[in-house]
Amino acid sequence: MLDFAAMRATLAEAYDLAPSMALAEEMRDIHAKMDRVVPLVDFARYAPYIRAINRLKAEKNAVILAHNYMTPEIYHGVADVVGDSLQLAIEATKVEAGTIVQCGVHFMAETSKILNPAKRVLIPDMAAGCSLAESITAEGIASMRAQYPGAPVVSYVNTTAEVKAASDICCTSSNAAQIVAAMESDVVIMTPDQYLAQNVAKQVPQKKVVWWAGSCIVHEQYTAEDITEFRKWNPDTRVIAHPECPPSVVSVSDFSGSTSGIISYVEREKPQKAMLVTECSMASNIADALPEVDFVGPCNMCPYMKKITLEKILWSLHSGQAEVFVDPEIAAKARIAVERMIELSRKIAK
C-alpha cells in the first residue's frame, strides 16, 4: 500500500507541483492533443507533473509504455509508446532504455519483464490488477488440458506470467482469430475470456473453440438490450464494440475490434457520431485527433487502469519503487508463449 502522505511530502520537497496556468500556457503543444476533453484550467494541475516526469525520464534513462485505457494526461502527456496489449508487447522488445514504466495493469508489466529480463520494470501502483487475469491459474489450465487432451492452449495476454508459462501460445484481441485459425488441432482451448473465445469461434468456424469462463468487469456490463435501446434514440450513431463484450453485444454493433482496431476503424471511417463500447478513456484519447467525430453514449470505466495517475508515475520514477519481478523459470516458459504470439502475428501481417 502506498503511503500517500509520505509520498506527497517527499515529492513536494523535490518538485514544484503547484498548479500553474503559466506553465499550462507554455505547454500548449501538449495540451492541444487533449483540448476537447481536458480544459486548460484542469491541465494547469497536470502540467507540473508532466514536466517533472518528462525531465525525470531523461535523467533515469526510462521509457513509459501506456495502454490505450490510460487517461489523456498520461496518454498524451508522458507516454513514449501507446497501444493495445499486442502493440505494447512488441514495442517492449525494442526498448533500449534501462527502465520501463508500465502504465497499465500488472500483467502488462509482467509481460514487459518477461520480454526484458535484464531491465528494470516499474508499475506505478502494484494494486492495478485485472479481474480477467485473476480469474484463472495454472491449475485451471491443467484442468482444461485434462478435459481436452492434445488441444493447444491459447491464452489471452491478460493473464499472469504463471498462466502464460502453462500455455502454448498467447493472443490479444487483435490477433486471437488468426492465432486460433493457425493452430493445427481441430480443438483449441482459449483462456480466460469466455466472450472473446465465443466471438472468435464465430470467426473461425473450422475450429472447435472451448473456453474458460472468465470475463472483463468493464466489457461484461454491456448488454444487447442497452445497445438496441440506445439505437432507438440515436439511429445515426456508429456502435463500435470490443470483442471482450458478450457476443450478443457484438452482434448488434456495427464493428468489433481490439483497441487498436477500434482506433483504426474510426480514423478510416470518420463517422459523424460514434459510441465506443469499451473503456471510457478510449474516446477521450482519440477525440482531439478526430474533431469531425462526435463521441457519444455511455462507457464503463476500469477501476484498475484508473489506479495509474501522474502522481504515482512521478513517485515510481523518483523512488524506483514498485518494481516488478518474475521468477526466472516461469519467465522463461512464459516468454516462449509470448514470443510465439509475436512471431506468428508478424507472419500474419505480411
Side-chain angles (χ1 to χ4, degrees):
M1 293 289 289
L2 287 169
D3 183 339
F4 284 98
M7 175 184 73
R8 287 168 180 160
T10 301
L11 291 178
E13 289 180 2
Y15 310 96
D16 180 3
L17 299 174
S20 171
M21 283 299 295
L23 183 58
E25 291 287 355
E26 287 179 27
M27 299 170 65
R28 278 279 192 175
D29 57 332
I30 294 177
H31 178 251
K33 300 173 185 177
M34 60 186 100
D35 182 65
R36 282 178 71 184
V37 292
V38 179
L40 189 64
V41 67
D42 289 335
F43 184 72
R45 294 188 292 111
Y46 301 138
Y49 287 91
I50 292 171
R51 177 179 62 179
I53 290 167
N54 286 335
R55 287 178 176 176
L56 205 52
K57 281 192 301 183
E59 293 174 15
K60 302 262 187 170
N61 186 29
V63 63
I64 291 179
L65 306 185
H67 191 267
N68 291 323
Y69 293 166
M70 289 293 100
T71 51
E73 65 273 13
I74 295 172
Y75 187 91
H76 294 296
V78 300
D80 298 295
V81 177
V82 296
D84 63 11
S85 297
L86 176 59
Q87 291 169 319
L88 295 182
I90 291 173
E91 291 303 319
T93 66
K94 304 175 183 178
V95 168
E96 295 182 0
T99 297
I100 296 172
V101 182
Q102 192 81 39
C103 292
V105 291
H106 194 269
F107 75 78
M108 296 177 182
E110 278 193 336
T111 302
S112 288
K113 184 64 177 179
I114 288 166
L115 294 171
N116 296 276
K119 296 185 185 294
R120 181 170 67 162
V121 176
L122 306 175
I123 185 167
D125 192 333
M126 281 288 188
C130 173
S131 61
L132 192 55
E134 292 164 5
S135 73
I136 189 163
T137 63
E139 289 74 23
I141 298 287
S143 70
M144 291 293 284
R145 287 192 188 277
Q147 291 179 60
Y148 302 97
V153 175
V154 178
S155 285
Y156 206 13
V157 289
N158 301 38
T159 48
T160 63
E162 181 186 49
V163 168
K164 290 181 176 71
S167 306
D168 294 296
I169 190 170
C170 288
C171 74
T172 69
S173 54
S174 61
N175 63 20
Q178 292 93 330
I179 284 179
V180 168
M183 296 296 100
E184 294 183 1
S185 173
D186 292 332
V187 179
V188 179
I189 299 167
M190 286 193 72
T191 74
D193 193 310
Q194 60 182 317
Y195 297 132
L196 177 64
Q198 290 166 29
N199 287 317
V200 166
K202 290 184 177 182
Q203 295 176 266
V204 192
Q206 68 271 29
K207 301 289 185 182
K208 178 182 178 180
V209 179
V210 294
W211 55 80
W212 184 262
S215 57
C216 166
I217 61 171
V218 170
H219 296 100
E220 70 179 351
Q221 295 180 54
Y222 294 104
T223 68
E225 292 74 21
D226 291 338
I227 305 302
T228 301
E229 186 65 23
F230 179 84
R231 280 193 185 280
K232 289 180 183 178
W233 303 99
N234 302 272
D236 58 342
T237 297
R238 205 80 61 91
V239 178
I240 305 163
H242 193 280
E244 289 178 23
C245 292
S248 58
V249 171
V250 171
S251 68
V252 295
S253 300
D254 296 297
F255 176 79
S256 176
S258 66
T259 56
S260 62
I262 288 172
I263 292 172
S264 296
Y265 177 84
V266 178
E267 289 176 340
R268 181 177 68 251
E269 297 292 324
K270 293 184 173 61
Q272 184 177 358
K273 294 182 180 180
M275 181 175 80
L276 305 191
V277 187
T278 186
E279 213 277 342
C280 289
S281 290
M282 275 285 294
S284 298
N285 289 334
I286 61 176
D288 281 272
L290 296 162
E292 61 271 69
V293 180
D294 182 14
F295 293 96
V296 300
C299 68
N300 293 325
M301 187 175 291
C302 175
Y304 300 109
M305 288 284 187
K306 296 307 180 269
K307 286 184 178 292
I308 308 301
T309 64
L310 287 174
E311 182 180 54
K312 292 176 183 176
I313 295 169
L314 179 58
W315 175 247
S316 184
L317 272 170
H318 176 85
S319 67
Q321 293 185 16
E323 184 171 355
V324 175
F325 297 96
V326 179
D327 178 271
E329 186 175 344
I330 291 175
K333 294 178 180 177
R335 192 176 305 118
I336 294 171
V338 176
E339 289 179 343
R340 281 175 178 165
M341 172 189 74
I342 293 173
E343 182 182 355
L344 185 52
S345 295
R346 285 172 174 158
K347 288 180 180 178
I348 291 168
K350 290 181 179 179

